[in-house]
Amino acid sequence: MDSHDYSRERDQIRAERNAAPMVILRGETQVLIPPADPEWHSTAGEMWAALMTSPQAGIMTGVDWAYAKFCFGELSAYLNGDYASRGRTKGKSAVALDTVDRLLRGVIIPPADRLRLRVAIEPPPPPAPRELTLDELDAAIAEAQRETMQ
C-alpha cells in the first residue's frame, strides 16, 4: 500500500507557485474607456458606469475594456431576452445566464473571488482640507444656524 502524502506535495507546489515573483507589464499610453452603448439594457448601463469608477478600472488595459464592452453587450442581450444560447431560441434560460455570468467573471472580480485571491479594496482617502473663502464660511454658519432653529 502506498503511504505517500499527496496533500503535502500539493501544499508545497501551491507554496512555490504563490512565492513566484509577479511579472509586471507597463503600459505606455493612457487607456481610453469606450462609451457604453446607448442601446444597452439599463442594468448593463448601470453596471458599466459602476465599473468605470471602480478601483478595478485603474488597472484595466484597452483590450480589457474592449472585452468588457463585449461582455456587457451580451449581458444586455440576455436581460432584453435577445440572447440565443447555443443556437437555441432566444430568451432567458439557465444556460444563457450561466454563459453570461462566466463572461462577466472575466471582467469583474466578485467579492467572493476577491476574498479567495486576497484582494482588498480600500476606500479612497478623504479629500484634502482646503481653506474656505469668507463667503463660504458665512454660508456654512448661516446654514448651521438655520438647522439649530428648526
Side-chain angles (χ1 to χ4, degrees):
M1 179 177 251
D2 186 9
S3 64
H4 190 74
D5 187 358
Y6 290 103
S7 64
R8 280 193 178 164
E9 220 173 274
R10 281 192 314 271
D11 290 345
Q12 180 64 32
I13 291 169
R14 185 179 302 118
E16 289 170 4
R17 182 184 64 230
N18 290 342
M22 181 172 288
V23 175
I24 298 174
L25 304 174
R26 296 203 190 327
E28 295 297 322
T29 60
Q30 184 176 1
V31 175
L32 297 176
I33 301 172
D37 187 328
E39 299 295 317
W40 282 350
H41 187 279
S42 62
T43 300
E46 291 168 7
M47 289 178 66
W48 182 262
L51 178 62
M52 286 181 8
T53 59
S54 74
Q56 182 179 328
I59 60 169
M60 291 178 67
T61 65
V63 73
D64 296 330
W65 283 109
Y67 180 70
K69 190 165 186 175
F70 166 76
C71 293
F72 280 83
E74 296 297 292
L75 171 63
S76 180
Y78 172 78
L79 292 171
N80 287 326
D82 298 332
Y83 195 87
S85 176
R86 298 187 183 175
R88 295 191 177 111
T89 58
K90 293 180 181 181
K92 293 182 180 180
S93 71
V95 173
L97 178 60
D98 184 59
T99 301
V100 171
D101 180 59
R102 280 187 281 122
L103 286 171
L104 289 174
R105 286 178 180 271
V107 175
I108 300 169
I109 304 171
D113 289 343
R114 288 196 299 262
L115 286 173
R116 184 178 52 80
L117 296 169
R118 294 176 296 191
V119 172
I121 296 177
E122 293 181 355
R130 66 176 183 85
E131 293 182 15
L132 296 176
T133 65
L134 289 177
D135 289 340
E136 291 172 325
L137 191 55
D138 287 341
I141 291 170
E143 178 66 26
Q145 288 174 342
R146 276 193 299 272
E147 288 177 5
T148 56
M149 296 177 106
Q150 293 178 357

